[in-house]
Amino acid sequence: MSTWTNWAGNVSADPTAVGHPATTDEVVAFVLAHPQVKAVGAGHSFTPIAAPEGALLHLDRMNLVLSADTTTGLVRVQAGISLHDLNRSLAALGLALPNLGDVDPQSVAGATSTGTHGTGARLFGIARAVAALQLVTADGAVLEIDGDHELFDAARVGLGALGIVTEVTLQCVPAFLLHAREEPMALSDVLTGLDDLVDGNDHFEFYFFPHTDKALTKRNNRVPEGTPPAPLPRWRHLLDDELLSNTVYERVQRIAARRPRLVPRINELSGSLLGAREYTDASHEVFISPRRVRFRESEFALPRAAAGEAIAEMRRWYDRSGEHVSFPVEVRFTAADDIWLSTGYERDNVYLAVHQFHRTDPTRYFAAMQDIFVAHGGRPHWGKMHTLGADHFRTVYPRFDDFVAVRDRLDPARKFTNAYLRQVLGG
Ligand SMILES: Cc1cc2nc3c(=O)[nH]c(=O)nc-3n(C[C@H](O)[C@H](O)[C@H](O)COP(=O)(O)OP(=O)(O)OC[C@H]3O[C@@H](n4cnc5c(N)ncnc54)[C@H](O)[C@@H]3O)c2cc1C
């Protein structure tokens, strides 16, 4: 049996069996045939949340759009479809997801199960667009869980702990264009005007470069109907997104990994090289960027009001720790939602995401950042690196024990568990 490895290359496992079902009935048969089952999507989690301890279930053949109602915007898909394929199918129907993260290889089930999100102070993570889902449970039952079902708020961000998601109904919106404005700014200016930037744009985010006062801001706003698209010219896309952000950046990161003392100067230079640019394109073209440089990531959601103080503490640590951090920090925002284990549960959030090149050990850096984030009530992204356990989650998720009770009921023999779920959910 071949070894399974995640995208970042930091998690691998040797499953006892691998299934590629094409239908819900085949999923049921696989679940009943194996004592331990783990569904994997695109392996884009940095945590071992998807690591199988027994049989592995790939839903890569369950990748169809099953039905679409362009009037209501409700679209039913098989849960293994990638966001990439989904975005293209939706565009052909004149529809779109209301918000997206940075990349699109993830499966719909994988992305929603960990609470994958983008940015937008009035918007939510992708799981908030789930209107219904079909779940195969440990006893082989097929549950249809919609907004009226008692499991709805547990199952939309289910961490893969409740069963296998086989179909998802998504509440989509009419396709829309975004005007993107990317602009370098001094970090101190970004922080001074943060509320206006966050509230004054549909999707605001910024990156800041450790050891410098440099930031790159991104403002994406819906344009009035009838505005023509004005995409980036292909040469500019190739120069910025492929050459500078990927090919050159990979080489720069290799140099930084070998000669860490150069990092502050490299970051000054990186922060200065990124120029301003504006363009208007289909929403998914604006949200998604290619990410070819391998890295490790940890990301926490904090109450939005803690943004300034937490970033100040991070900067003090960069100054005094002696650690040289070559990757920028990504800062995003979302509105409160109603999903029990969503990082956005009943809280407007700022997200602080720290990265480290895959050849550099991130342990010390991420541990220090985790301490800062936890002190502000941080909730880690379920798919991004952290070392926290059930004791912490019980304090930051008011419905944590209700989720655990649902898990006890649906999966008493722990068919869907693994080491990560034992760590974060207990038992
Ligand atoms: C380069 C990169 C960029 C990223 N950008 C963002 C971003 O912008 N925003 C963000 O929030 N996150 C981001 N992430 C994190 C990523 O979106 C999440 O980790 C997501 O869960 C990965 O989806 P996947 O399909 O790869 O799922 P996997 O990592 O394979 O699995 C994740 C979880 O979903 C479960 N699962 C998968 N399929 C099913 C199913 N059918 N039924 C039940 N459970 C299932 C797995 O068991 C596991 O628990 C990024 C990750 C990478 C590597």
Side-chain angles (χ1 to χ4, degrees), residues 66 69 84-85 89 207 210 309 323 336 371 383:
L66 298 171
D69 182 333
H84 179 88
D85 290 349
S89 298
Y207 294 82
E309 184 50 37
E323 193 88 9
D371 287 346

Side-chain angles (χ1 to χ4, degrees), residues 7 38-46 49-50 59 79 101-103 106-107 109-111 113-117 159-160 163-165 291 295 299 332 381 383-384:
W7 175 88
K38 183 56 57 190
V40 303
H44 266 51
S45 296
F46 299 87
I49 189 168
L59 266 62
D102 293 340
V103 299
Q106 306 97 312
S107 63
S113 293
T114 63
T116 294
H117 65 91
L159 316 190
I164 309 298
V165 179
R291 288 273 193 284
F295 56 85
E299 181 182 51
R332 296 184 277 188
H381 188 306
K384 301 191 185 178

Side-chain angles (χ1 to χ4, degrees), residues 29-151:
F30 192 89
V31 164
L32 292 177
H34 298 277
Q36 289 274 280
V37 179
K38 183 56 57 190
V40 303
H44 266 51
S45 296
F46 299 87
T47 55
I49 189 168
E53 292 187 346
L56 180 155
L57 201 51
H58 260 299
L59 266 62
D60 50 347
R61 289 173 65 217
M62 295 185 66
N63 59 0
L64 300 176
V65 174
L66 298 171
S67 66
D69 182 333
T70 51
T71 311
T72 61
L74 289 171
V75 176
R76 181 84 164 179
V77 299
Q78 287 184 306
I81 190 171
S82 69
L83 293 175
H84 179 88
D85 290 349
L86 174 65
N87 289 335
R88 270 144 193 78
S89 298
L90 292 179
L93 292 162
L95 296 171
L97 284 173
N99 205 0
L100 286 166
D102 293 340
V103 299
D104 62 7
Q106 306 97 312
S107 63
V108 164
T112 53
S113 293
T114 63
T116 294
H117 65 91
T119 192
R122 294 175 292 276
L123 294 159
F124 313 98
I126 297 173
R128 187 57 163 47
V130 173
L133 59 87
Q134 186 183 67
L135 186 75
V136 174
T137 53
D139 58 1
V142 180
L143 306 183
E144 180 65 23
I145 299 173
D146 63 13
D148 296 328
H149 197 285
E150 46 135 0
L151 297 178

Side-chain angles (χ1 to χ4, degrees), residues 262-284:
L262 291 180
V263 163
R265 268 191 282 160
I266 287 174
N267 285 2
E268 279 287 345
L269 194 65
S270 305
S272 309
L273 273 180
L274 293 162
R277 59 180 195 175
E278 292 191 48
Y279 56 98
T280 302
D281 210 339
S283 57
H284 63 276

